[in-house]
Amino acid sequence: MATIHTLLLRLAGPLQAWGDSSRFDRRDTHSHPTKSGVIGLCAAALGLDRTAPLGKLAELRYGVRIDRPGTMISDYHVTGAGSYPLRPRDLITDPSRASKHAAKLPDLDETTSTHPFGHDVAVALTGWYGAPKGIAPTRGGALVAGAVDRSAVLSTRWYLSDAVFLAALEHPDHDLLQDLAAALEAPERLLWLGRKSCPPTGSIAAGVHPGTILEVLTAASPTPNPAAYDPTQPHRTAPLPPTRLTAWIEAEPHTPGATRLNDQPVDYALRTHAPRWETRTRITTTNTISLEDLLP
């Protein structure tokens, strides 16, 4: 029988957002990181495209310990609408509107320039809102915006402020987990905690350890509070007292007392997910995995 190993991931940052049922103008966050979000984090570290098959990533068993639950906060978010001067890049990315407003420019002296935006751009285009989206190169290499709608988008976005979690990914393939740990230390793509506006603080990978999710989360010391850290004091040598923490661990379908979630990733490009189950567990840490192993 293959030995089970577990990769620990330290998820900490000023803001986190782990949506599980966000729709339209309301972008929620779960109380703890979702499996879809953490697997997506690993896929980004590996440099996988959204259309790439997940392969063994889909086989990982997931759990997360809540070291600091954080505070739920909301942001009333307004995107688009309004007006301000056209930016230089918008002359390229939105050629249809650029051509339209080029007609408003004064006639150019033939001796100065043949380009329609040779001068007086700020004067002629001050009332045009320039924030195109969906910018991508055409076959010819030119950048063109795929969406040029200037209507305002209003939304309420929820975040977890100053939260700290210790996520765990379990699999018998030790090399797979080691590769993930290495990728998280030197990611191919930018990493964030649920949303692009939520960068992580410090290192994410916290080592690959023998044992199941429950065993490793029980052995791991609680993540220290940075506010309590005093660099002038020597490192703690006395053992830490056991700490009682809450963990959510993936369980077999229809396990009594388990909660059903729809966050098992299937296809990120199509945003499809399958159901899975997790149980709420109270853990008393034994602190046999030291604090130094978890610090960035």
Side-chain angles (χ1 to χ4, degrees), residues 66-234:
I66 303 174
D67 284 14
R68 194 159 68 240
T71 303
M72 194 85 72
I73 63 173
S74 66
D75 174 36
Y76 182 70
H77 200 88
V78 181
T79 306
S83 64
Y84 53 80
L86 184 71
R87 299 170 297 179
R89 75 164 187 161
D90 300 323
L91 304 179
I92 302 172
T93 56
D94 196 352
S96 61
R97 291 190 177 229
S99 298
K100 174 184 175 182
H101 288 279
K104 299 179 182 179
L105 293 173
D107 293 334
L108 298 179
D109 188 301
E110 294 181 357
T111 62
T112 58
S113 174
T114 58
H115 195 283
F117 293 99
H119 63 282
D120 294 333
V121 174
V123 175
L125 306 181
T126 52
W128 191 67
Y129 181 88
K133 295 184 178 181
I135 299 171
T138 62
R139 287 189 176 182
L143 290 175
V144 176
V148 293
D149 184 16
R150 268 63 183 177
S151 300
V153 177
L154 309 181
S155 62
T156 300
R157 306 189 179 206
W158 290 87
Y159 300 87
L160 295 173
S161 173
D162 295 324
V164 178
F165 304 98
L166 193 62
L169 297 172
E170 176 190 298
H171 200 277
D173 189 339
H174 181 266
D175 291 341
L176 169 66
L177 298 180
Q178 288 285 17
D179 289 345
L180 285 177
L184 290 167
E185 288 298 301
E188 293 288 334
R189 300 176 186 269
L190 294 177
L191 305 181
W192 49 79
L193 305 179
R195 290 195 195 125
K196 292 181 181 179
S197 58
C198 304
T201 56
S203 298
I204 293 178
V208 178
H209 308 272
T212 65
I213 289 175
L214 179 59
E215 293 168 345
V216 173
L217 289 182
T218 300
S221 298
T223 305
N225 186 346
Y229 175 67
D230 185 354
T232 65
Q233 298 299 315

Side-chain angles (χ1 to χ4, degrees), residues 4 7 43 46 51 55-56 63 114 183 214 237 265 276 279 293:
I4 295 295
L7 167 64
L46 292 170
T51 59
K56 284 190 174 182
T114 58
L214 179 59
T237 56
R276 70 177 185 92
T279 56
D293 293 333

